[in-house]
């Protein structure tokens, strides 16, 4: 555009020189043509900018990781003249859709229309803006450029996958206690903890007849167990200093892993407490499968934007909770500060499990320190898992000390 402006100014000055030295009809005609052409070009560009029509749509706004979203764009020229230079830029170009969304440059014939369809594969959990970022109109001579920004934007919410684990070989006392509860042993039958829908195999003695009659559906009573030790899931929400897409990949795997473990625990009647720091200290409690949705909703929407280190979060929890717990830590950041806090947690009597998520491509610089720590932790009695962003969670959690 700058070159075009310089060229036009040069022609305009030459036409003035031509008039000054030669005069006559031809020099003046050339001068008027050079003067009037950009005015006409700019006027037609303003008309195109104000009269063009477009339509964009997506078939789904809330999806699960791995789903395909279809985005459709149509731009129409309702006028009798050519729209010469149009460039459409999209929001997804600088996110995970960078290889799927590309800017489009084209012209529109009189009364013509251009349509594009993009099949967007939602690879990672998150909240994304998609669709038209701006539409640029350039005049016929390439002197000016007008940019149109839509008033509204399209968004896609990508929820994490729910991977059903076949087994979970983590060190937690509650696994055995929950099995006792399911077999009606070690229960306080005088105290009802909650109710749930009847499932095949439930004892008739546990049916809550009054509630079942009231809602016209069989409901079963769950009694308090003699042991109230919950399984604590501690999630690290500190943002890493990687690129946008690299952070998204790590965060997605971390959330997917947490969802899988929470799902396994709750559907096996292992109550959990999800501990995380988002603006303030949060403790989200869930007792059984009926509470899974609130855990899933929180993990689907939480942001990795915290400055607090996981070692500090664990230190706060260690200081305020002296009773023995089963602790599972989920993080993509490991250092000797965290190692010291895990050591302190073991000294208190916690049964600690560590899940470390990493990526081969961009976490190599700290891998020597991480490997040393992961090799030392089992000596403290800590079960550790080192999970690559491409690993199969079912295979990983079938192993013990998967480092």
């Amino acid at each position: 555009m700058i070159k075009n402006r310089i060229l036009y100014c040069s022609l305009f000055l030459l036409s003035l020189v031509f008039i000054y030295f030669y005069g006559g009809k031809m020099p003046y005609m050339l001068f008027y043509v050079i003067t009037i052409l950009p005015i006409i070009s700019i006027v037609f560009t303003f008309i195109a900018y104000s009269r063009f029509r477009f339509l964009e749509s997506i078939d789904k706004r809330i999806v699960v990781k791995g789903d395909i979203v279809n985005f459709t764009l149509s731009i129409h020229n309702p006028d009798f003249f050519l729209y010469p230079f149009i460039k459409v830029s999209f929001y997804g170009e600088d996110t995970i859709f960078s290889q799927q969304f590309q800017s489009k440059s084209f012209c529109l014939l009189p009364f013509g229309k251009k349509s594009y369809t993009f099949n967007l594969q939602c690879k990672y959990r998150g909240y994304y803006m998609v669709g038209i970022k701006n539409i640029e109109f350039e005049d016929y001579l390439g002197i000016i450029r007008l940019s149109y920004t839509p008033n509204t934007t399209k968004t896609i919410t990508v929820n994490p996958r729910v991977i059903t684990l076949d087994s979970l070989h983590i060190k937690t006392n509650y696994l055995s206690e929950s099995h006792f509860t399911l077999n009606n042993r070690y229960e306080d039958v005088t105290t009802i903890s909650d109710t749930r829908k009847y499932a095949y195999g439930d004892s008739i003695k546990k049916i809550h007849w009054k509630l079942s009659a009231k809602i016209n559906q069989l409901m079963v009573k769950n009694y308090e167990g003699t042991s109230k030790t919950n399984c604590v899931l501690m999630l690290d929400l500190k943002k890493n200093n990687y690129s946008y897409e690299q952070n998204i990949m790590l965060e997605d795997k971390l959330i997917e892993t947490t969802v899988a473990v929470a799902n396994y625990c709750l559907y096996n009647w292992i109550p959990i407490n999800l501990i995380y720091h988002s603006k303030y200290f949060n403790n989200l409690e869930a007792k059984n499968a009926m509470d899974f949705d609130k855990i899933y909703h929180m993990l689907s929407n939480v942001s990795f934007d915290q400055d607090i280190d996981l070692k500090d979060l664990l230190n706060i929890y260690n200081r305020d909770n002296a009773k023995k717990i089963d602790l599972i830590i989920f993080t993509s950041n490991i250092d000797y500060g965290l190692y010291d806090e895990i050591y302190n947690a073991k000294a208190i009597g916690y049964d600690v499990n560590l899940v470390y998520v990493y990526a081969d491509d961009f976490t190599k610089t700290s891998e020597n320190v991480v490997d040393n720590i992961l090799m030392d932790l089992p000596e403290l009695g800590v079960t550790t898992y080192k999970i690559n962003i491409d690993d199969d969670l079912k295979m990983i959690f079938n192993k013990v000390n998967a480092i």
Side-chain angles (χ1 to χ4, degrees):
M1 180 176 289
I2 294 177
K3 290 181 179 180
N4 292 338
R5 290 176 180 176
I6 294 173
L7 178 61
Y8 172 75
C9 291
S10 300
L11 290 174
F12 183 78
L13 291 174
L14 286 174
S15 68
L16 289 176
V17 172
F18 196 31
I19 290 173
Y20 181 79
F21 284 103
Y22 297 99
K25 294 182 179 180
M26 287 299 296
Y28 274 99
M29 183 181 71
L30 178 62
F31 171 76
Y32 289 137
V33 168
I34 292 175
T35 304
I36 293 172
L37 271 180
I39 296 174
I40 296 174
S41 176
I42 292 171
V43 168
F44 272 87
T45 302
F46 270 99
I47 293 173
Y49 174 82
S50 60
R51 285 180 50 80
F52 85 103
R53 299 291 180 267
F54 75 94
L55 176 66
E56 57 176 341
S57 63
I58 54 176
D59 60 348
K60 291 176 285 188
R61 292 181 179 273
I62 301 177
V63 297
V64 176
K65 174 186 173 181
D67 287 351
I68 302 293
V69 174
N70 297 312
F71 173 82
T72 303
L73 166 66
S74 296
I75 297 183
H76 178 61
N77 176 4
D79 295 311
F80 62 90
F81 58 90
L82 176 74
Y83 289 3
F85 306 111
I86 301 175
K87 180 180 179 181
V88 182
S89 300
F90 300 97
Y91 276 109
E93 292 179 87
D94 53 357
T95 66
I96 62 169
F97 302 117
S98 58
Q99 301 301 318
Q100 305 174 61
F101 259 138
Q102 299 292 336
S103 297
K104 297 293 182 181
S105 298
F106 53 89
C107 64
L108 277 176
L109 297 174
F111 308 106
K113 182 175 74 171
K114 282 281 187 181
S115 297
Y116 298 97
T117 299
F118 300 89
N119 298 318
L120 307 177
Q121 185 176 7
C122 302
K123 298 179 180 179
Y124 307 108
R125 180 214 73 122
Y127 180 82
Y128 305 100
M129 288 193 297
V130 296
I132 296 175
K133 189 174 185 179
N134 60 65
I135 303 174
E136 293 180 348
F137 291 81
E138 192 171 309
D139 73 300
Y140 295 86
L141 300 179
I143 296 175
I144 67 166
R145 183 179 296 141
L146 302 176
S147 180
Y148 173 85
T149 302
N151 295 325
T152 60
T153 57
K154 306 293 183 183
T155 60
I156 298 176
T157 301
V158 183
N159 291 330
R161 291 183 300 183
V162 181
I163 296 178
T164 304
L165 302 177
D166 299 324
S167 60
L168 188 61
H169 294 301
I170 58 175
K171 186 174 182 180
T172 168
N173 296 326
Y174 208 94
L175 286 171
S176 59
E177 292 169 2
S178 65
H179 288 90
F180 289 144
T181 301
L182 290 175
N183 290 320
N184 270 344
R185 288 181 286 178
Y186 300 105
E187 289 181 335
D188 181 3
V189 295
T190 63
T191 306
I192 299 175
S193 61
D194 53 31
T195 59
R196 61 177 173 83
K197 293 180 182 179
Y198 176 84
Y200 178 78
D202 286 331
S203 172
I204 296 177
K205 295 179 181 179
K206 298 181 69 173
I207 295 177
H208 197 307
W209 294 108
K210 289 184 179 180
L211 180 60
S212 299
K214 185 176 181 180
I215 66 174
N216 199 28
Q217 186 177 17
L218 285 177
M219 300 296 291
V220 175
K221 294 177 282 188
N222 288 325
Y223 299 112
E224 295 282 4
T226 56
S227 173
K228 289 298 294 175
T229 305
N230 283 19
C231 185
V232 175
L233 311 185
M234 185 171 291
L235 177 60
D236 182 10
L237 295 180
K238 185 177 180 181
K239 195 173 189 68
N240 287 294
N241 295 320
Y242 302 121
S243 69
Y244 173 83
E245 187 167 356
Q246 290 171 339
N247 279 329
I248 287 293
M249 294 164 67
L250 277 176
E251 293 163 9
D252 171 77
K253 194 66 173 183
L254 203 55
I255 291 294
E256 186 174 88
T257 306
T258 309
V259 168
V261 173
N263 179 64
Y264 181 89
C265 290
L266 293 176
Y267 277 85
N268 284 277
W269 299 96
I270 306 170
I272 64 173
N273 286 77
L274 180 60
I275 306 296
Y276 62 98
H277 188 278
S278 181
K279 296 182 179 178
Y280 50 86
F281 185 88
N282 293 269
N283 186 346
L284 189 59
E285 184 179 359
K287 294 182 179 180
N288 53 46
M290 297 179 69
D291 293 331
F292 175 72
D293 284 345
K294 70 178 181 181
I295 296 290
Y296 182 76
H297 177 75
M298 173 267 158
L299 292 173
S300 298
N301 295 282
V302 72
S303 298
F304 286 75
D305 55 3
Q306 301 303 302
D307 295 325
I308 185 171
D309 290 326
L310 182 61
K311 64 182 178 65
D312 297 323
L313 182 62
L314 183 54
N315 178 270
I316 294 171
Y317 194 82
N318 289 346
R319 188 178 63 235
D320 297 340
N321 295 270
K323 66 179 182 180
K324 182 180 179 181
I325 63 167
D326 300 313
L327 176 64
I328 308 177
I329 298 171
F330 300 86
T331 185
S332 57
N333 301 285
I334 294 182
D335 55 26
Y336 281 106
L338 178 60
Y339 177 89
D340 291 339
E341 289 302 327
I342 292 176
Y343 180 88
N344 294 334
K346 287 296 296 182
I348 294 172
Y350 294 0
D351 284 321
V352 183
N353 308 268
L354 177 68
V355 178
Y356 171 67
V357 174
Y358 74 105
D360 278 331
D361 296 336
F362 50 88
T363 59
K364 290 181 179 179
T365 55
S366 61
E367 282 305 295
N368 289 334
V369 173
V370 170
D371 287 338
N372 290 335
I373 294 174
L374 291 178
M375 292 296 292
D376 291 341
L377 284 175
E379 298 179 7
L380 301 179
V382 177
T383 302
T384 59
Y385 290 91
K386 186 178 179 183
I387 301 177
N388 190 283
I389 57 174
D390 297 321
D391 283 343
D392 184 334
L393 292 183
K394 287 188 176 183
M395 294 180 61
I396 292 294
F397 281 109
N398 279 334
K399 303 174 183 177
V400 179
N401 286 338
I403 60 174

